[in-house]
């Protein structure tokens, strides 16, 4: 019934309605001369983000656990951009250490919660300490950062009259569950609830939340993760294309600067964003139009993907039982 009614609304009229309805209002987040604080900044996507932000004239600070890697990252960024960056050593699981690092770094204009860990394993076989480790870093570490950064960020937006950003690095496994990612997906799905609620709480302070969903990305972490993946996880995950860290960083940074809530990084990610848009905030009337028109089709496509994944799982178990 709703789809039939939509067909009766001229596209221009629908766009006009969506321009009225979309919230929060679109904003541009400037980077030049502003303080960008990035966790997980010593390697992979975080290092690529820090380098790209420094190239755009931002004052960059990076946080990670390993002091030697932080020094290497600072040297690499200086070599690539001619800019120096602040480095801060802390474990995001330690709320007090995170608060100290942010105090030392000074008020932040753009906070990028890029840290994350993942160990693929069927839940039945996975040690609960490993599950807790992922939740503590991926979810609780993000709470620690945002909680510590918010008061100064709010004061900063009032002082500068410029919009600020809190960007959270999720994963495509935070949009759809995948075999072997039970614990990891749970820790990433939770970030969506955090981000949606947080956007309500900070919109009046002109702070825009971005939730970034990269696919498999060529990072040191992925190399280690692939060594431990169950075979079925590899089969399913390999059906989606991977990306280089520099390419993910550029997609992420463009999404942050545009104030977008959902930031997909490739074509599959864009389809997932439409399929899972639900009640997520949307500031772009054009993207909202695509979501409204494409929702039904994307549901059909999603069912096709699920059919393929379940068939793969059933066939794999049937084959292994036969040879077992």
């Amino acid at each position: 019934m709703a789809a039939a009614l939509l067909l009766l609304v001229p596209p221009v009229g629908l766009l006009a309605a969506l321009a009225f309805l979309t919230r929060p209002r679109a904003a541009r987040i400037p980077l030049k001369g502003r303080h960008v604080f990035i966790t997980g900044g010593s390697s992979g996507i975080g290092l690529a983000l820090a380098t790209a932000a420094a190239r755009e004239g931002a004052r960059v600070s990076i946080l990670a656990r390993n002091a030697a890697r932080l020094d290497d990252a600072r040297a690499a960024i200086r070599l690539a951009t001619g800019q120096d960056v602040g480095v801060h050593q802390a474990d995001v699981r330690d709320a007090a250490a995170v608060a100290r690092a942010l105090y030392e770094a000074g008020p932040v204009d753009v906070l990028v919660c890029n840290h994350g860990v993942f160990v693929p394993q069927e839940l039945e076989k996975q040690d609960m300490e490993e599950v807790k480790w992922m939740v503590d870093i991926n979810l609780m570490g993000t709470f620690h950062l945002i909680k510590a950064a918010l008061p100064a960020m709010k004061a900063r937006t009032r002082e500068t009259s410029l919009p600020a950003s809190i960007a959270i690095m999720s994963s495509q496994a935070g949009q759809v569950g995948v075999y072997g990612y039970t614990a990891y997906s749970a820790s990433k799905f939770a970030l969506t609830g955090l981000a949606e609620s947080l956007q309500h709480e900070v919109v009046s302070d002109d702070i825009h939340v971005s939730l970034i969903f990269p696919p498999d990305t060529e990072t040191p972490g992925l190399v280690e993760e692939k060594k431990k993946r169950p075979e079925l996880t590899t089969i399913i995950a390999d059906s989606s294309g991977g990306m280089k860290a520099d390419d993910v960083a550029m997609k992420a940074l463009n999404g942050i600067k545009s104030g977008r809530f959902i930031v997909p990084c490739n074509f599959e990610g864009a389809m997932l964003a439409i399929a899972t848009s639900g009640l997520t905030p949307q500031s772009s009337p054009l993207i909202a139009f695509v979501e409204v028109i494409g929702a039904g089709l994307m549901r059909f496509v999603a069912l096709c993907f699920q059919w393929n994944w379940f068939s793969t799982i059933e066939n794999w178990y049937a084959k292994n039982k036969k040879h077992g």
Side-chain angles (χ1 to χ4, degrees), residues 143-185:
F143 274 111
H144 294 158
L145 281 153
I146 296 170
K147 177 83 171 172
L150 260 182
M153 287 188 78
K154 289 183 175 183
R156 182 83 167 156
T157 58
R158 290 193 295 269
E159 176 190 327
T160 64
S161 299
L162 290 173
S165 172
I166 296 172
I168 300 170
M169 191 66 66
S170 184
S171 163
Q172 286 184 0
Q175 293 173 292
V176 59
V178 178
Y179 183 100
Y181 279 178
T182 304
Y184 178 64
S185 284

Side-chain angles (χ1 to χ4, degrees), residues 14 42 53 65 129 133 147 151 170 185 199 227 269 279 296 299:
L14 179 56
S42 63
R65 287 176 291 178
E129 284 303 310
W133 177 67
K147 177 83 171 172
S170 184
S185 284
Q199 183 61 93
K227 295 175 183 177
L279 288 170
R299 178 56 179 157

Side-chain angles (χ1 to χ4, degrees), residues 131-154:
V131 173
K132 185 176 184 299
W133 177 67
M134 280 187 273
V135 172
D136 283 348
I137 292 175
N138 297 349
L139 178 59
M140 294 309 300
T142 303
F143 274 111
H144 294 158
L145 281 153
I146 296 170
K147 177 83 171 172
L150 260 182
M153 287 188 78
K154 289 183 175 183

Side-chain angles (χ1 to χ4, degrees), residues 66-73:
N66 188 294
R69 289 182 183 175
L70 279 167
D71 289 339
D72 289 344

Side-chain angles (χ1 to χ4, degrees), residues 194-233:
L194 186 166
E196 288 182 4
S197 299
L198 180 66
Q199 183 61 93
H200 285 180
E201 295 176 12
V202 300
V203 66
S204 62
D205 298 290
D206 206 11
I207 298 174
H208 298 260
V209 178
S210 290
L211 197 55
I212 304 157
F213 293 101
D216 275 354
T217 305
E218 296 175 15
T219 65
L222 181 66
V223 173
E224 292 303 311
E225 186 250 355
K226 281 188 172 182
K227 295 175 183 177
K228 302 174 183 177
R229 271 183 181 175
E231 184 181 350
L232 266 172
T233 306

